[in-house]
Amino acid sequence: MTDPNLTRLQQRYQRVLNRIRQAEAACNRPPGGVRLLAVSKTKSMEEIAALADLGQGDFGENYLQEALQKIDRLRDRGLEWHFIGRIQSNKTRPIAENFHWVHSLASLKHAARLSDQRPPGLPPLNVCLQVNTSGEASKDGYREEALREEFEAYTRLPNLRIRGLMTIPAPAAGETAQHRPFERLRLLRDELMRAETPLDTLSMGMSEDLEAAIAEGATIIRIGTAIFGPRQYNQ
Ligand SMILES: *Cc1c(COP(=O)(O)O)cnc(C)c1O
């Protein structure tokens, strides 16, 4: 890797891996219990391929057309693709056909479509239900009360495997404020799990707050900027 951009990518990636190990150690979690999802929206095939060469296996994408091209071109790499963007009703089929995970599910209608459209040859689609832990500050995701009412219905969809919960908190200043939404998500997961379904996943924590998320029990953290550098949307 002599290209300076790839060298920087490698350094940033290593720094993120170090942050994860330190955060695990700081709260006495065994090393290796946090899965790193590299959020590659707006980033090139070359950067994704370079990261895959370093051993990164999970990639998250928000924009469907962009994601489908990458999945197609990188098909022989054996990567796992996670859809983390806003779901549109008329675009569920390509998600059901091409992704391994969906983190941003917050509608039973979308869930039913994804289950119906999951191709028979594939294992069930792994899904996380998105929860709005920031009140009015965020429009996306379930209010806790609404999820309690509808959760049971998700567990009956045959081609979905309900893995857990996901949240994108509003930006918070300071560590203490960062913890609160992550704690809420963990408590809600514990409560829903008591019902019957094992929920092994808390998808929470991004570049700015991964330490707080890991301390509160994150099992998947979704990291873009800290790995790839700032995003440019003016393409
Ligand atoms: C873009 C995005 C991320 C990554 O955010 P960074 O702050 O760049 O780490 C994580 N999760 C979701 C849902 C995103 O859309």
Side-chain angles (χ1 to χ4, degrees):
M1 255 197 215
T2 44
D3 180 334
N5 289 323
L6 294 185
T7 307
R8 260 200 302 280
L9 180 66
Q10 184 168 24
Q11 288 168 344
R12 280 192 299 253
Y13 183 57
Q14 195 55 54
R15 269 202 294 275
V16 169
L17 295 179
N18 292 341
R19 278 175 71 187
I20 295 171
R21 293 296 164 260
Q22 281 170 16
E24 286 171 337
C27 59
N28 295 315
R29 288 183 59 174
V34 177
R35 186 167 174 177
L36 173 58
L37 177 56
V39 175
S40 46
K41 61 185 173 213
T42 78
K43 299 300 174 179
S44 68
M45 311 267 180
E46 290 69 28
E47 288 166 290
I48 296 172
L51 213 53
D53 287 341
L54 297 173
Q56 176 63 30
D58 291 284
F59 290 87
E61 291 280 339
N62 296 58
Y63 309 112
L64 193 55
Q65 284 317 309
E66 178 191 339
L68 293 175
Q69 284 185 13
K70 291 172 177 173
I71 293 171
D72 188 49
R73 294 263 306 274
L74 296 164
R75 203 166 281 285
D76 59 348
R77 292 295 199 119
L79 304 175
E80 290 217 16
W81 294 94
H82 301 237
F83 189 75
I84 61 173
R86 198 165 284 164
I87 299 169
Q88 291 175 261
S89 297
N90 60 345
K91 303 258 176 69
T92 49
R93 185 177 294 280
I95 296 176
E97 290 177 346
N98 289 281
F99 284 83
H100 302 84
W101 285 74
V102 173
H103 292 235
S104 43
L105 190 57
S107 146
L108 266 174
K109 185 180 78 172
H110 292 165
R113 293 175 68 96
L114 288 169
S115 182
D116 287 346
Q117 293 166 346
R118 184 68 170 170
L122 295 182
L125 183 61
N126 297 294
V127 303
C128 293
L129 301 171
Q130 185 173 350
V131 178
N132 175 353
T133 49
S134 300
E136 296 301 325
S138 156
K139 298 170 298 297
D140 288 327
Y142 267 104
R143 293 310 180 88
E144 293 186 17
E145 208 38 61
L147 181 55
R148 285 188 186 95
E149 280 167 25
E150 295 194 352
F151 179 73
E152 169 81 41
Y154 283 96
T155 66
R156 289 196 290 265
L157 294 168
N159 300 318
L160 301 188
R161 185 170 166 209
I162 312 303
R163 297 295 295 265
L165 306 181
M166 178 272 221
T167 195
I168 311 172
E175 271 250 25
T176 319
Q178 284 180 355
H179 277 256
R180 204 161 302 129
F182 297 144
E183 182 188 22
R184 287 186 78 97
L185 198 71
R186 171 168 52 79
L187 294 173
L188 182 60
R189 189 273 314 262
D190 293 347
E191 176 193 325
L192 293 172
M193 197 159 69
R194 247 180 280 134
E196 71 261 28
T197 321
L199 298 176
D200 62 11
T201 302
L202 285 173
S203 169
M204 59 189 197
M206 314 198 325
S207 293
E208 296 291 323
D209 54 16
L210 70 89
E211 283 82 7
I214 289 173
E216 294 295 344
T219 64
I220 300 182
I221 57 172
R222 309 179 309 271
I223 308 298
T225 311
I227 295 175
F228 291 104
R231 286 180 286 275
Q232 278 165 353
Y233 286 99
N234 55 347
Q235 303 154 320

